[in-house]
Amino acid sequence: MKIQHINILENQILAPYAHTQAGGLVDFLALPKTHHELAILAQWATEQQLPIHIFGRLSNLVVRDGGLRGLTILTQDMRSITVEGNVITADAGADLIITAEVAMEHGLSGLEWAAGIPGSVGGAVFMNAGAYGGQCDLVVQAVTALMPDGQLLEFDGAQLDFGYRQSVFQENGGIIISAQFMLQPDDRQAIRSRMDDFNFKRANKQPLNYPSNGSVFKRPEGHFAGKLIMDAGLQGTRVGGVEVSKKHAGFMVNVNNGSGNDYEALIHLVQERVQSKFGVTLETEVRILGDN
C-alpha cells in the first residue's frame, strides 16, 4: 500500500528489524526517509484513527509476540548528520555510534560515551541514554519534535525535562525529529583514545556476540542491578531462547530464536527472585509493549 509515494507494509514481523531479533506482528510498518514523509505518515494514521508507534533501532525495547496495532514507524532511514561550529544536528534515526564518530572526526568532545551504544539518536534522547559518566542531558541543547496536533516544536533546556532514563517525550506524545548536541573542541586523537577505551571496556564486560537490549534494569538506589542478579545465582537462567548473560548479569541475550514473550517472562522471573532474596525492586530500563 502507498500513501502518496510512501510504502506502507502490512502485517510485518518486527523481529528482523529489532536489535534483539525478537518482536511480534505489526498491522502497518513504514520507514520514512525524510521529516516530511514522517509528517505525512503521522497525519494519515491520525485520519485513520490508528495508534502510532515510533522507534529507531529497536534496541531498548521488548515487543510481545502479539505485536502492535496501528502504524509502526521506524526512523532508521532518517539519518542526516550536520556539523556547524561546535553543534551537531542529527536526525532521529541517525546511529548514535556514527554520530559519535562524526563528532570525533570534527574534533568535538562530549559523545565519547556513545561510541558503542547501538541505538538511534531519537531513542537515546527519548530515554536520556548514558554510559561511563556521559548522558544525553549533558550535551543535548535542543530537540525538534512533531506534536500530536501536527505542529513542529523545538524544546530546549528545562523544557526537555531530562531525568534518569527520562525525558518530556515519554509524556507529551511528541515524535522526535532531530536533536542538537552542543559539544566542546578537543584533540581528535584524545577523543579517539577515550572512545577506544570505552569500547574496550564494553567488549570485555558485555555479551556483544549475542542480540540483546543492553542493560535491562535501571540502577536501583544503593545497588547495582547486575550484581544483585549475579548474587541471586541467576546467570545462565533461560526462558525459551532468552538467557541471563553469563558474561554480564545485567544483560539478557537471545541465544536461540527467543521471542518477546521469552524476554518478558525472564524479566519477571529475575524481578521476583531478586525481590524475594534481597527485598530490592528492579525496575525495567527497557520498555515492554504489545499484545500478549
Side-chain angles (χ1 to χ4, degrees), residues 4 23 42 69 71 73 88 117 126 141 161 207 292:
Q4 296 188 27
R69 307 289 66 81
L71 174 64
I73 298 175
I88 287 183
I117 296 180
F126 184 88
Q141 72 165 7
D161 194 25
N292 285 313

Side-chain angles (χ1 to χ4, degrees), residues 174-195:
I175 299 171
I176 296 168
I177 299 291
S178 64
Q180 293 180 5
F181 298 90
M182 173 61 77
L183 306 175
Q184 300 299 319
D186 199 356
D187 176 70
R188 279 189 294 179
Q189 190 53 49
I191 297 169
R192 167 54 68 196
S193 178
R194 289 190 290 270
M195 291 167 70

Side-chain angles (χ1 to χ4, degrees), residues 87-98:
V87 177
I88 287 183
T89 302
D91 277 354
D95 281 309
L96 201 57
I97 291 171
I98 292 176

Side-chain angles (χ1 to χ4, degrees), residues 68-86:
L68 297 168
R69 307 289 66 81
L71 174 64
T72 296
I73 298 175
L74 303 183
T75 62
Q76 61 190 44
D77 289 342
M78 293 170 49
R79 48 179 181 255
S80 170
I81 302 172
T82 60
V83 182
E84 187 172 343
N86 295 348

Side-chain angles (χ1 to χ4, degrees), residues 13 22-25 63-69 258-262 264 289-292:
I13 295 290
L25 192 77
V63 177
R64 298 182 180 105
D65 296 358
L68 297 168
R69 307 289 66 81
S259 69
N261 283 15
D262 292 344
E264 184 176 25
L289 300 173
D291 296 341
N292 285 313

Side-chain angles (χ1 to χ4, degrees), residues 5-288:
H5 59 285
I6 308 165
N7 283 327
I8 297 180
L9 307 174
E10 299 182 54
N11 298 319
Q12 293 291 303
I13 295 290
L14 267 188
Y17 300 91
H19 199 66
T20 58
Q21 294 295 289
L25 192 77
V26 299
D27 294 342
F28 299 100
L29 178 67
L31 287 77
K33 294 180 172 59
T34 65
H35 303 174
H36 180 60
E37 288 185 357
L38 191 152
I40 290 171
L41 289 165
Q43 182 179 358
W44 174 78
T46 300
E47 290 170 352
Q48 300 297 315
Q49 298 184 324
L50 295 174
I52 304 175
H53 308 279
I54 312 288
F55 308 121
R57 297 285 166 178
L58 294 160
S59 60
N60 203 36
L61 181 75
V62 171
V63 177
R64 298 182 180 105
D65 296 358
L68 297 168
R69 307 289 66 81
L71 174 64
T72 296
I73 298 175
L74 303 183
T75 62
Q76 61 190 44
D77 289 342
M78 293 170 49
R79 48 179 181 255
S80 170
I81 302 172
T82 60
V83 182
E84 187 172 343
N86 295 348
V87 177
I88 287 183
T89 302
D91 277 354
D95 281 309
L96 201 57
I97 291 171
I98 292 176
T99 307
E101 287 287 334
V102 170
M104 183 277 299
E105 289 166 3
H106 286 80
L108 295 173
S109 174
L111 282 174
E112 290 90 328
W113 57 272
I117 296 180
S120 67
V121 164
V125 171
F126 184 88
M127 293 296 296
N128 191 18
Y132 297 111
Q135 200 162 260
C136 277
D137 60 357
L138 299 176
V139 287
V140 174
Q141 72 165 7
V143 176
T144 301
L146 178 67
M147 305 308 294
D149 63 2
Q151 287 191 82
L152 271 180
L153 295 181
E154 185 170 288
F155 294 78
D156 55 29
Q159 293 176 316
L160 292 166
D161 194 25
F162 279 131
Y164 178 56
R165 303 298 176 258
Q166 163 70 38
S167 76
V168 70
F169 304 105
Q170 295 176 25
E171 309 292 337
N172 69 7
I175 299 171
I176 296 168
I177 299 291
S178 64
Q180 293 180 5
F181 298 90
M182 173 61 77
L183 306 175
Q184 300 299 319
D186 199 356
D187 176 70
R188 279 189 294 179
Q189 190 53 49
I191 297 169
R192 167 54 68 196
S193 178
R194 289 190 290 270
M195 291 167 70
D196 288 347
D197 181 53
F198 291 151
N199 284 333
F200 178 79
K201 290 176 180 177
R202 282 191 176 94
N204 277 278
K205 294 180 180 178
Q206 299 178 7
L208 303 181
N209 54 325
Y210 287 110
S212 82
N213 269 323
S215 296
V216 174
F217 300 103
K218 295 179 182 178
R219 184 177 62 248
E221 189 172 350
H223 300 276
F224 292 99
K227 187 174 189 312
L228 290 169
I229 296 165
M230 180 175 65
D231 291 347
L234 290 164
Q235 283 182 283
T237 300
R238 187 182 296 192
V239 172
V242 180
E243 179 180 281
V244 177
S245 170
K246 299 182 184 76
K247 188 171 185 178
H248 189 312
F251 285 62
M252 293 180 181
V253 290
N254 191 344
V255 294
N256 186 21
N257 298 313
S259 69
N261 283 15
D262 292 344
Y263 270 99
E264 184 176 25
L266 187 57
I267 286 168
H268 291 327
L269 187 155
V270 168
Q271 287 173 318
E272 289 166 7
R273 294 274 184 89
V274 169
Q275 178 69 48
S276 174
K277 190 171 181 67
F278 302 111
V280 177
T281 300
L282 291 180
E283 296 182 22
T284 54
E285 180 172 317
V286 300
R287 292 190 297 151
I288 302 171

